Amino acid sequence: ETGVTQSPTHLIKTRGQQVTLRCSSQSGHNTVSWYQQALGQGPQFIFQYYREEENGRGNFPPRFSGLQFPNYSSELNVNALELDDSALYLCASRTAGGSYEQYFGPGTRLTVT
Amino acid sequence: AQSVSQHNHHVILSEAASLELGCNYSYGGTVNLFWYVQYPGQHLQLLLKYFSGDPLVKGIKGFEAEFIKSKFSFNLRKPSVQWSDTAEYFCAVNAQRNNYQLIWGAGTKLIIKP
């Protein structure tokens, strides 16, 4: 069973640029969630995708957008990067029913300078 | 608004000491409760979870937690900690009405002195 994978591991961008982060779900999982974890804080929910549709969103501006593909992999796009976007971005996958336990990837560390 | 609060941001213990990390949530209705652990340099791992039934749940590595509905609490315990338990611990909650998005506490950094 393949776990959740994310790429890249680390990324450095300049303020104002755009970034795309990628996530491959654990095999058999059709729901993907993205979280932002700033240094010293707990993760914050960004949004969730189920069967290629966004079905939940946290308190993040529209410049945070996402996609889910037919194979259930996912992307997180952030436009017009700001310094405060520097964080660890976590992807988690689960099945739509059952225990609702989420399985996390290792994260992508984004630094905005 | 739903929220999760963890009482201690930093805890330092000696090996073999007992551990209790507090977690309270503010969330009406039926919830699922989780404790995750993040070891240094590793990704989040599930320690234990509560969905229903026996309010005392046992997880991996000797951890357990007790759900007290009247107190909106889900405290994590371990009778005797080891140096390898040094990590950051997060309490989280989700519910069906929010499509099971996880709401997280700020985390507790646990340092075990050998």
Side-chain angles (χ1 to χ4, degrees):
Chain A
E1 186 179 79
T2 306
V4 179
T5 60
Q6 292 186 243
S7 63
T9 308
H10 295 88
L11 202 51
I12 300 174
K13 288 285 190 178
T14 303
R15 192 170 49 183
Q17 286 186 316
Q18 178 265 342
V19 69
T20 298
L21 310 182
R22 294 180 175 82
C23 171
S24 290
S25 304
Q26 183 160 317
S27 177
H29 288 182
N30 56 15
T31 302
V32 173
S33 301
W34 285 90
Y35 296 85
Q36 181 195 65
Q37 186 179 10
L39 204 60
Q41 297 182 27
Q44 299 289 318
F45 174 72
I46 303 175
F47 44 58
Q48 175 173 280
Y49 278 81
Y50 169 64
R51 292 187 174 178
E52 304 174 58
E53 298 277 334
E54 183 183 295
N55 74 341
R57 189 176 183 93
N59 190 26
F60 280 81
R63 59 189 184 84
F64 286 77
S65 63
L67 282 173
Q68 187 183 30
F69 300 99
N71 66 354
Y72 304 129
S73 65
S74 176
E75 284 181 359
L76 163 65
N77 298 288
V78 187
N79 293 322
L81 283 166
E82 300 177 359
L83 295 179
D84 284 349
D85 296 334
S86 295
L88 181 68
Y89 288 85
L90 297 164
C91 170
S93 72
R94 62 175 177 87
T95 56
S99 70
Y100 313 111
E101 176 183 337
Q102 297 191 24
Y103 294 81
F104 283 83
T108 293
R109 172 73 63 188
L110 173 65
T111 302
V112 182
T113 62
Chain B
Q2 301 88 13
S3 65
V4 176
S5 68
Q6 293 183 237
H7 307 160
N8 310 96
H9 292 296
H10 292 87
V11 173
I12 302 174
L13 294 172
S14 298
E15 274 195 314
S18 65
L19 170 71
E20 181 159 2
L21 301 182
C23 172
N24 285 91
Y25 65 94
S26 168
Y27 209 110
T30 302
V31 296
N32 302 312
L33 296 152
F34 305 84
W35 275 97
Y36 280 86
V37 61
Q38 195 167 31
Y39 296 103
Q42 296 188 28
H43 59 270
L44 283 163
Q45 300 172 41
L46 182 69
L47 262 185
L48 47 77
K49 61 195 178 194
Y50 173 81
F51 295 131
S52 63
D54 189 343
L56 184 62
V57 292
K58 294 194 184 298
I60 60 172
K61 304 187 182 190
F63 286 91
E64 65 179 31
E66 185 175 13
F67 171 51
I68 304 179
K69 191 174 180 180
S70 60
K71 294 185 178 180
F72 297 90
S73 71
F74 190 56
N75 293 352
L76 181 71
R77 300 194 293 246
K78 186 171 183 178
S80 176
V81 294
Q82 302 171 306
W83 177 78
S84 59
D85 294 325
T86 294
E88 189 156 18
Y89 294 80
F90 294 93
C91 180
V93 61
N94 71 10
Q96 182 180 19
R97 64 179 178 164
N98 274 6
N99 281 324
Y100 300 105
Q101 62 174 269
L102 283 168
I103 309 296
W104 298 79
T108 297
K109 282 198 173 92
L110 175 65
I111 297 173
I112 306 299
K113 298 184 293 184

